[in-house]
Amino acid sequence: MTRKEFVTKATESLSQQYSPGEAKAIAVRILSHFLGLSEYEYSVEPGTVIPRPELTRIQGALEELAADRPVQYVIGQETFEGHTFRVSESVLIPRPETAQLCRLVIQELRRSGSREPRILDAGTGSGCIAWTLAAAFPTAEVFAFDVDKDALETARTQDIFLDSACRQRVPDPPVFFQADILAAPPDEKDSRSGELPNLEDLDILVSNPPYVCESEKDFMAPNVLDYEPDIALFVPDNDPLRFYKALSGWADALVKPGGKCFFEINEAFGPQVSELFVSRGFSDVRIIEDFHGKNRFAVFTKWF
């Protein structure tokens, strides 16, 4: 089977789950991944015959896709802000909205001219936010935590998987540790005991916490619902802001005066999230839209 024949067959196979354009893009992506090609090489030499061992592997990947397994989990990676991250079912697949969250943080730090910012990523998952910010600011102190041990192991070991150019830009990798957003923020005693790093005087607190209501499951695609981790996605319908209430405590305890917080949010709760942070005494609270025009980010400053 030639490369072109495989892409045609795979596109047809996936057409019931994806639009024709998306189905073809996925077909080319898995072909390129398993053959070690760039998409450019596929387009230049579509008539090249696929060796049988590689064809067997690619057809196995196609069967996984037919069972609604996301392509990122099938190939074990996803590109995010110019870097390639390892992903598995223990972590969320990095999304463009979260990349926009990173860009908001990067813009703020460049505007402020902070030379050695202290940054905490709460609920790090794959570590894509923490590693991206560490690469953007090599002199920063970046800390990140997650409640899930498997997710934390994925985040910690991204340096083995990241491209060499990214590793060279991160002389000191992020400090990863286990903690729960919903628990009380650490205090000086925790850092003195060596259980946790010193997190005081943060310049930036950033988080993409769980924010999808349980009732929204009925509207979600099987490739998300059946494979991505519930613990990183869902909150109870009767307490949709539970993580933002907790994060306000972390911000109050750890962010220095003048420091800023950047959180990804559920588009349905922009006004409620804003009201929450205003009521907790934070300033300059803004709800920022994503590239789809949806309320997606809460940004505010801690002055006192």
Side-chain angles (χ1 to χ4, degrees), residues 31-216:
L31 177 75
S32 301
H33 174 78
F34 286 105
L35 294 184
L37 305 172
S38 67
E39 294 187 15
Y40 169 78
E41 289 175 284
Y42 157 73
S43 62
V44 170
E45 299 180 332
T48 302
V49 175
I50 303 172
R52 184 169 296 277
E54 282 77 8
L55 180 60
T56 300
R57 293 172 62 204
I58 296 170
Q59 288 176 328
L62 192 60
E63 291 174 3
E64 292 183 63
L65 290 167
D68 288 318
R69 192 176 184 213
V71 63
Q72 295 90 345
Y73 291 154
V74 172
I75 66 175
Q77 64 184 48
E78 177 63 322
T79 301
F80 181 87
E81 288 299 272
H83 310 299
T84 300
F85 289 91
R86 182 166 57 91
V87 295
S88 68
E89 280 87 339
S90 65
V91 299
L92 288 181
I93 296 166
R95 286 173 166 77
E97 293 84 354
T98 307
Q100 188 176 350
L101 177 67
C102 283
R103 290 195 290 273
L104 289 172
V105 175
I106 290 170
Q107 290 167 6
E108 169 58 27
L109 288 174
R110 287 177 177 165
R111 183 201 63 78
S112 69
S114 180
R115 294 183 177 274
E116 297 180 346
R118 290 171 57 82
I119 302 168
L120 176 62
D121 173 22
T124 192
S126 67
C128 62
I129 293 175
W131 282 103
T132 296
L133 296 179
F137 299 96
T139 58
E141 288 185 274
V142 181
F143 307 93
F145 70 85
D146 204 283
V147 69
D148 184 80
K149 289 183 178 180
D150 291 334
L152 206 55
E153 183 62 19
T154 297
R156 281 183 176 134
T157 56
Q158 289 290 2
D159 59 335
I160 300 172
F161 193 76
L162 289 168
D163 60 275
S164 59
C166 178
R167 291 198 300 271
Q168 290 171 3
R169 287 197 295 272
V170 186
D172 296 312
V175 176
F176 294 99
F177 60 96
Q178 188 173 18
D180 186 351
I181 293 175
L182 298 177
D187 56 24
E188 187 179 347
K189 181 182 69 175
D190 296 316
S191 60
R192 283 204 313 267
S193 68
E195 295 180 12
L196 295 173
N198 178 11
L199 301 173
E200 294 180 345
D201 294 325
L202 295 173
D203 295 276
I204 298 289
L205 173 61
V206 59
S207 184
N208 175 24
Y211 60 69
V212 181
C213 291
E214 291 279 351
S215 58
E216 295 180 74

Side-chain angles (χ1 to χ4, degrees), residues 208-244:
N208 175 24
Y211 60 69
V212 181
C213 291
E214 291 279 351
S215 58
E216 295 180 74
K217 286 183 176 181
D218 294 339
F219 307 100
M220 297 179 71
N223 59 348
V224 175
L225 199 57
D226 295 344
Y227 290 95
E228 298 201 60
D230 283 8
I231 192 174
L233 284 169
F234 297 109
V235 291
D237 284 14
N238 64 358
D239 193 12
L241 304 188
R242 66 176 352 182
F243 282 92
Y244 303 104

